[in-house]
Amino acid sequence: MNTPLVPVGLERRDFLKSAAALGLVAATSLRAASTPSAVDELVRELVRINDAGIPALLAKQERRAGHRWLGGQVNEYGLHVPNATAGFVSALACSADASTSRYHGKPDLDEPLRLAARYLLAAQHDDGTVDYYATNFRSPPDMAFILEVLCPAYVLLRRSERAAVRAVGEEIGRFIVRGADGLVTGGVHTPNHRWVVCAALASAHALFPQPRYVARIDQWLAETVDLDPDGQYTEKSTTVYSPIVDRALINVARQLHRPDLFEPVRRNLEMTLFYVHPDGEVVTEASRRQDRYQRGSMARYYFSYRHLALLDGNGRFAAMARQIEQSHASSLLGDLSTFLTEPDFGRALPASAPLPTDYAKVFSYSSLARIRRGSASGTILANNTTLFSYRRGSAALEAVRLASAFFGKGQFTSETLEVRDGKYILRQELEGPYFQPLTADQIAGGEHVKMAPNGTLANNSRALRAQSNLCRLQTVVEVTESGGRFTLAISVRGTEDVPVAI
């Protein structure tokens, strides 16, 4: 709390000058910048969508006088939650700032913003953290996610021509500093949290420079980014956490001038181009997180594809950014604050280069193969209960699975994916033994009392027993492809009369 905040009385032009020097916001807003008409139209549409959602957000704000959580956003369970309130502040800040907004220059949002800032400070614990009532309490990572939203909102609020709005920005600045101070010592749960924390600290440092913020970032970066040779992150979460990591690394790279951090993002974005179905959805079957088997779009990658397209002059990344704009514009509301605070983000994209639509690629570290032939798209998977999925245009065969009634363990999951002579081969070998009595010496040693709580033989007991009546099942799936047509040949051998379901 000893970090100096931008004084409330600071002139708007002086604040913009200092913020520009920190690299977070240019000295002119998007509304004054010369930008291509396509971007102008996109931003106007995002402002319109944002404005349309304001009444519903206002209706969810706690406004009862004397309430403990006055100003907070109420979720579907009736709980007042900091993460939703941060999004509320961002939405109102965007509408207050955007020149095409019906709220621009009006006092309608002053009091809701003031109360929301008051709530956030009240909900913040002494260590700078907040609670995420769905699962995490006194959570540094959730504070990091919130700061990623509030730092651009702070810029919008502090540059307002309205004194009441600038005063709210001052309160949000206090929340940011307290939160960032907590991240200097706070821990994480999952791999992506490290990079989100780094991004939050980098954004806070851009506004309120503190060497300890950078020192903490360097501690996390010393672990190196968890990118495999395929170009995928540890969590392999193609619709949730991979785009989160890409965005976080870009923000650290830009704000701390660490260009090496762009490289893992480039590799992930390049790999992800080959995970896209003909209808624009993305492969999720290999994910290790909650988006596994869920259908999702590429919208969350927009920020990263646009940034790297502009940075590198990459035509394929530009093509993907345009494709997302055309098909998922309404999903880009979270990028509105970036457009408003960073005019360079709205620069004209380079010319589009063709996106990959005809390929066969194996991603061995994710145990999957991707084959795309125009409107046909197939995915072959090992280490997965889904062995094959297929799309043709907008038609989806979401999963082919194979199971047998073999000793309760017959769900087909291949340990390997082999490619040979144009065939993609998946294998599984199972054994179903029966167990002999323990020997007299084993019984004398007390081995007979080692049973599992569910009433079966304990694993360590099974290992000691001789086996008999051994049953075996060998399953092989061979997938071949020609011109977008896939053939699956399934062979099950071994013990006779085992029921099998496909």
Side-chain angles (χ1 to χ4, degrees):
M1 288 301 297
N2 57 0
T3 302
L5 299 176
V6 178
V8 174
L10 184 69
E11 291 290 336
R12 178 172 177 269
R13 60 180 178 274
D14 294 330
F15 168 73
L16 288 172
K17 187 183 301 181
S18 62
L22 295 173
L24 188 68
V25 57
T28 56
S29 69
L30 182 71
R31 57 180 177 268
S34 176
T35 57
S37 59
V39 173
D40 287 339
E41 284 298 320
L42 174 62
V43 174
R44 276 195 289 269
E45 177 63 8
L46 293 178
V47 171
R48 185 196 66 77
I49 295 171
N50 193 64
D51 279 359
I54 296 296
L57 291 174
L58 292 173
K60 292 181 180 179
Q61 187 180 33
E62 181 59 66
R63 300 297 291 269
R64 290 173 289 180
H67 195 283
R68 178 190 180 192
W69 298 128
L70 178 64
Q73 280 279 293
V74 181
N75 70 7
E76 64 270 32
Y77 302 107
L79 300 173
H80 302 79
V81 286
N83 55 323
T85 307
F88 174 77
V89 169
S90 178
L92 269 58
C94 287
S95 283
D97 180 83
S99 62
T100 60
S101 169
R102 66 172 181 258
Y103 295 99
H104 178 68
K106 298 179 180 178
D108 305 47
L109 305 181
D110 294 0
E111 183 66 0
L113 279 167
R114 185 186 72 81
L115 294 176
R118 169 184 165 175
Y119 161 79
L120 285 171
L121 288 167
Q124 192 172 34
H125 296 297
D126 290 342
D127 63 358
T129 62
V130 293
D131 295 328
Y132 177 53
Y133 293 129
T135 180
N136 300 329
F137 299 86
R138 297 182 180 268
S139 170
D142 288 290
M143 173 52 64
F145 281 110
I146 286 173
L147 293 190
E148 282 199 295
V149 173
L150 286 183
C151 285
Y154 169 84
V155 172
L156 296 175
L157 295 168
R158 289 295 294 153
R159 77 182 185 189
S160 174
E161 296 173 355
R162 296 184 51 77
V165 175
R166 293 199 302 275
V168 172
E170 171 72 6
E171 295 303 295
I172 294 298
R174 295 186 190 283
F175 180 89
I176 290 170
V177 170
R178 286 168 58 179
D181 287 347
L183 296 184
V184 171
T185 57
V188 301
H189 284 150
T190 59
N192 74 86
H193 285 170
R194 297 172 295 170
W195 317 130
V196 177
V197 166
C198 288
L201 286 170
S203 294
H205 177 73
L207 295 170
F208 309 104
Q210 282 291 343
R212 64 180 182 275
Y213 295 170
V214 179
R216 185 60 164 177
I217 291 170
D218 287 337
Q219 275 188 288
W220 288 118
L221 288 177
E223 297 184 5
T224 69
V225 177
D226 51 318
L227 192 81
D228 68 30
D230 286 341
Q232 186 57 285
Y233 301 110
T234 298
E235 292 162 293
K236 306 184 191 302
S237 173
T238 46
T239 63
V240 180
Y241 293 108
S242 288
I244 282 174
V245 172
D246 287 337
R247 187 183 193 109
L249 294 177
I250 286 173
N251 281 332
V252 178
R254 292 169 58 247
Q255 291 168 355
L256 294 187
H257 308 291
R258 307 283 182 89
D260 289 351
L261 293 177
F262 289 122
E263 187 55 27
V265 179
R266 289 187 183 99
R267 291 173 55 196
N268 180 256
L269 295 180
E270 181 64 28
M271 184 216 73
T272 305
L273 293 176
F274 296 93
Y275 273 56
V276 182
H277 292 301
D279 61 356
E281 291 189 353
V282 61
V283 173
T284 62
E285 288 91 328
S287 173
R288 294 178 174 175
R289 297 301 303 274
Q290 65 266 36
D291 57 336
R292 191 177 200 183
Y293 305 134
Q294 301 299 309
R295 301 181 72 170
S297 76
M298 293 287 288
R300 290 185 178 180
Y301 289 96
Y302 177 73
F303 174 93
S304 300
Y305 276 114
R306 176 170 264 280
H307 261 297
L308 268 295
L310 293 169
L311 179 67
D312 297 344
N314 188 311
R316 294 215 292 191
F317 290 1
M320 179 53 69
R322 289 189 174 99
Q323 180 173 299
I324 295 170
E325 288 175 356
Q326 293 163 7
S327 57
H328 297 288
S330 62
S331 299
L332 304 181
L333 203 54
D335 295 304
L336 177 56
S337 63
T338 305
F339 277 115
L340 294 174
T341 56
E342 300 183 36
D344 281 350
F345 190 66
R347 286 189 294 116
L349 289 166
S352 293
L355 292 170
T357 58
D358 189 348
Y359 56 82
K361 292 181 71 70
V362 176
F363 298 95
S364 57
Y365 287 83
S366 294
S367 300
L368 68 81
R370 285 279 301 139
I371 301 173
R372 173 101 182 255
R373 307 299 181 199
S375 64
S377 172
T379 308
I380 305 158
L381 301 111
N383 293 312
N384 204 302
T385 56
T386 290
L387 63 94
F388 178 74
S389 64
Y390 179 73
R391 305 288 182 95
R392 181 176 286 276
S394 61
L397 173 61
E398 293 189 343
V400 174
R401 296 187 175 99
L402 171 66
S404 63
F406 190 77
F407 293 88
K409 53 186 176 183
Q411 179 76 58
F412 180 80
T413 302
S414 177
E415 294 182 359
T416 59
L417 171 59
E418 178 185 355
V419 183
R420 188 177 70 237
D421 300 328
K423 295 181 179 180
Y424 299 82
I425 304 169
L426 305 171
R427 301 178 186 274
Q428 182 188 59
E429 295 192 8
L430 299 174
E431 291 187 348
Y434 294 84
F435 299 94
Q436 291 293 307
L438 295 168
T439 66
D441 289 342
Q442 289 171 326
I443 292 174
E447 299 295 343
H448 61 292
V449 300
K450 294 183 178 179
M451 306 294 288
N454 65 359
T456 62
L457 296 174
N459 286 334
N460 57 353
S461 176
R462 293 185 183 197
L464 294 170
R465 295 172 184 268
Q467 297 182 5
S468 66
N469 310 88
L470 185 63
C471 298
R472 291 188 173 89
L473 203 68
Q474 300 89 32
T475 304
V476 178
V477 179
E478 293 185 350
V479 183
T480 55
E481 178 269 336
S482 177
R485 299 174 65 90
F486 290 81
T487 301
L488 278 66
I490 299 172
S491 170
V492 183
R493 293 187 173 87
T495 301
E496 296 180 349
D497 299 323
V498 175
V500 174
I502 301 172

